[in-house]
Amino acid sequence: MEMLDKMFNSLPDFKMRAVSSVVIVAVIIGGILLGGYYWSAVVIAAATLSLREFYKLLPETLHASYILVMLSGALLLIGASVGIMDSTVVICSISVVSFIALFLEVMKRQVTGESTALVSVGATVSGLAYIVLPWSFMILIRSRENGTMFLITLFMCTWACDVAAYFTGSRFGKHLLCSQVSPHKTWEGFAGGVVGSFFTAGLMSLIFLFPPLPLLLLGLLCGIAGQLGDLGESVLKREAGVKDTGNIIPGHGGLLDRFDSILINATLAFVIFGIAANV
């Protein structure tokens, strides 16, 4: 009853979150089903806006690296969209971008007598690795056999985990999971999220008439890793001293707030599918 009271007391906010969630689901699932340049457009928009939010968490002295990483991130995403991005291109691109960021700091120190090379290069590489590459992987997954099914399952399991963790934690949560990072998350909520993701994966296997084992493993992965990804994004916000990374999504905050779990889930799924393809 306490959980229901909280929900009704914040009904306007709850409605706003619900409407925003429906729009997000429609855009993501619609983009996946349409595929091609439609899905690429959704991914590029989500990735570049998330990257902008990530850079807003960093010190304001990184303007040059901000422009560099936005341009290089866009190029990597476009490369994935047109099919010219492979592992070699990715490694070379990130290395080149990091050296450009370092050279910019050399020039800045020569002109102004000050530089932030350690932070600038680190932020440049981490922004690409943390945000751009996972979204690029989602373009590549969509282009593979059964990619539509796996991507839809990936998102549905991640969202189911979030919802199940929230309601389970609100109703039964007693033991704090990581109080110094996210004070409201509990072990009970964590377990509920894993169960919700696992159950959703089984449901997806029935809907798609696909052998259950691969999707159940994917569901288990999303349930565990996705919540760790959420904690990872929370610690970034704690260090930056902000509640949300942005306000672009009414009731949810920023895109990085909404898609923090999917970043790690997509990365691990892409790695596992790559290994499986070579076995």
Side-chain angles (χ1 to χ4, degrees):
M1 289 297 296
E2 183 179 353
M3 182 179 67
L4 291 176
D5 289 339
K6 290 180 180 179
M7 184 184 300
F8 286 121
N9 289 335
S10 60
L11 194 56
D13 182 62
F14 180 78
K15 287 182 177 179
M16 184 182 299
R17 288 177 62 88
V19 171
S20 297
S21 297
V22 170
V23 173
I24 291 171
V25 171
V27 170
I28 293 295
I29 300 300
I32 294 172
L33 291 174
L34 290 171
Y37 292 115
Y38 296 99
W39 176 234
S40 295
V42 171
V43 167
I44 291 172
T48 52
L49 289 172
S50 296
L51 197 57
R52 179 177 179 274
E53 292 174 355
F54 175 77
Y55 258 77
K56 287 176 65 178
L57 300 176
L58 300 172
E60 296 181 357
T61 55
L62 304 178
H63 297 305
S65 294
Y66 169 77
I67 297 172
L68 172 65
V69 79
M70 293 297 288
L71 288 174
S72 57
L75 290 175
L76 281 172
L77 290 163
I78 293 171
S81 301
V82 299
I84 62 173
M85 190 184 86
D86 58 20
S87 58
T88 303
V89 173
V90 170
I91 294 171
C92 292
S93 299
I94 293 179
S95 295
V96 169
V97 170
S98 65
F99 283 122
I100 293 174
L102 184 59
F103 183 66
L104 289 173
E105 292 300 322
V106 170
M107 292 192 297
K108 185 167 72 172
R109 191 169 189 86
Q110 177 62 28
V111 174
T112 67
E114 298 179 352
S115 60
T116 54
L118 288 173
V119 177
S120 181
V121 175
T124 298
V125 174
S126 62
L128 295 175
Y130 177 50
I131 297 171
V132 174
L133 292 187
W135 280 107
S136 299
F137 296 152
M138 285 184 262
I139 293 177
L140 299 178
I141 290 174
R142 175 61 179 80
S143 66
R144 295 185 174 183
E145 184 180 2
N146 296 316
T148 300
M149 177 194 62
F150 280 115
L151 264 185
I152 290 177
T153 302
L154 187 72
F155 275 97
M156 294 302 293
C157 287
T158 302
W159 291 332
C161 176
D162 289 344
V163 173
Y166 173 78
F167 283 105
T168 305
S170 299
R171 178 65 179 86
F172 302 106
K174 294 181 180 179
H175 302 89
L176 295 179
L177 174 63
C178 199
S179 59
Q180 296 300 313
V181 175
S182 188
H184 301 297
K185 293 188 184 300
T186 63
W187 282 104
E188 291 82 2
F190 185 89
V194 174
V195 172
S197 179
F198 189 77
F199 175 82
T200 301
L203 182 62
M204 291 295 102
S205 72
L206 293 176
I207 292 174
F208 289 113
L209 301 176
F210 194 79
L213 184 58
L215 297 189
L216 289 174
L217 291 175
L218 181 61
L220 187 62
L221 172 76
C222 290
I224 297 173
Q227 295 187 76
L228 297 179
D230 185 35
L231 288 172
E233 193 250 0
S234 293
V235 80
L236 294 177
K237 293 189 291 186
R238 294 293 174 270
E239 291 187 6
V242 299
K243 180 179 180 294
D244 298 314
T245 59
N247 56 8
I248 193 171
I249 306 176
H252 290 274
L255 281 167
L256 199 52
D257 295 311
R258 184 65 274 168
F259 294 112
D260 51 3
S261 298
I262 201 68
L263 296 176
I264 187 170
N265 286 343
T267 300
L268 294 177
F270 183 73
V271 170
I272 291 172
F273 293 156
I275 293 173
N278 293 321
V279 172

